[in-house]
Amino acid sequence: MTSTFGGGVAVSAQGLPEWLLPVARVAETVEPRQLSRFLPPERGGRPSAVLVLFGEGPRGPELLLMERAGSLRSHAGQPSFPGGALDPEDGDPEGEGPLRAALREAEEETGLDPSGVQVFGVLPRLYIPVSRFVVTPVLGWWRVPSPVTPVDPAETARVFTVPVADLTDPANRATAVHPSGHQGPAFLVADALVWGFTAGVIDRLLYFAGWERPWDRARRVPLDWHA
């Protein structure tokens, strides 16, 4: 299936590797409430987008992540997907805007070449209450990989990939406990603690794609030192 948003940004699952097809099916079938209990308000919020980019690395399927600089006002020092708020030139937030924003932000933050990315799905919009971002997760296949590195160290501390095998390894999974009492999934991978919105999206994708392995949900990781 191929669809084109208003500005000519194509969304196509054609030609994806076999292992990625379950993720494409998730994009077609998942309901917002199945992804998060934090959904956008009827009014307000800042439209934004992230690029959930799958590639093929030395150890098989992998995800591209980055670590935000510790000096940022929002989500400082936190591992995340590339992404950010929509700019006016991205276009309609209800149309192609989030797709353009996800690719533009990924290029600005990591230096990747957007022409090598095949957008194959879009997840329902979610909400990050602390920053009031209304986030559209855009799913991409890194069809033609390109070099990545922090473009601006003032914004991005590092760029790295995580094998999906590490994300599904029960030894790398835990429940993060925020000082506020909020609890959510976490991944201890690539010398990083992935938690919050990013970990929540990864957790749900693994589950609905059928990739999740049983893990110890009683294992707790306090965020006092990180949050």
Side-chain angles (χ1 to χ4, degrees), residues 34-107:
Q34 294 177 305
L35 292 176
S36 174
R37 64 187 179 92
F38 297 113
L39 301 182
E42 291 186 10
R43 295 182 181 178
R46 190 177 183 190
S48 62
V50 296
L51 181 63
V52 185
L53 184 60
F54 290 88
E56 187 85 47
R59 295 180 51 208
E62 61 185 15
L63 263 180
L64 178 70
L65 295 177
M66 51 175 275
E67 187 174 306
R68 300 194 176 276
S71 57
L72 294 178
R73 286 184 299 173
S74 180
H75 308 293
Q78 192 170 343
S80 68
F81 302 117
L86 268 67
D87 285 347
E89 59 266 28
D90 293 323
D92 184 4
E94 302 294 329
E96 82 281 357
L99 284 79
R100 291 182 178 275
L103 293 171
R104 174 185 56 76
E105 285 280 347
E107 181 178 18

Side-chain angles (χ1 to χ4, degrees), residues 89-135:
E89 59 266 28
D90 293 323
D92 184 4
E94 302 294 329
E96 82 281 357
L99 284 79
R100 291 182 178 275
L103 293 171
R104 174 185 56 76
E105 285 280 347
E107 181 178 18
E108 292 176 358
E109 292 174 331
T110 74
L112 72 77
D113 183 354
S115 68
V117 175
Q118 176 182 339
V119 175
F120 67 89
V122 180
L123 296 180
R125 287 180 295 181
L126 305 174
Y127 190 55
I128 303 180
V130 65
S131 57
R132 299 185 65 250
F133 280 133
V134 176
V135 187

Side-chain angles (χ1 to χ4, degrees), residues 107-201:
E107 181 178 18
E108 292 176 358
E109 292 174 331
T110 74
L112 72 77
D113 183 354
S115 68
V117 175
Q118 176 182 339
V119 175
F120 67 89
V122 180
L123 296 180
R125 287 180 295 181
L126 305 174
Y127 190 55
I128 303 180
V130 65
S131 57
R132 299 185 65 250
F133 280 133
V134 176
V135 187
T136 300
V138 177
L139 304 178
W141 159 236
W142 212 353
R143 186 172 39 81
V144 182
S146 53
V148 289
T149 191
V151 174
D152 183 357
E155 290 192 1
T156 307
R158 66 175 174 136
V159 180
F160 58 102
T161 56
V162 179
V164 171
D166 287 353
L167 294 167
T168 59
D169 186 343
N172 297 332
R173 303 214 53 181
T175 297
V177 183
H178 193 275
S180 67
H182 174 71
Q183 299 184 13
F187 300 84
L188 295 93
V189 291
D191 296 321
L193 174 62
V194 183
W195 59 283
F197 174 85
T198 303
V201 172

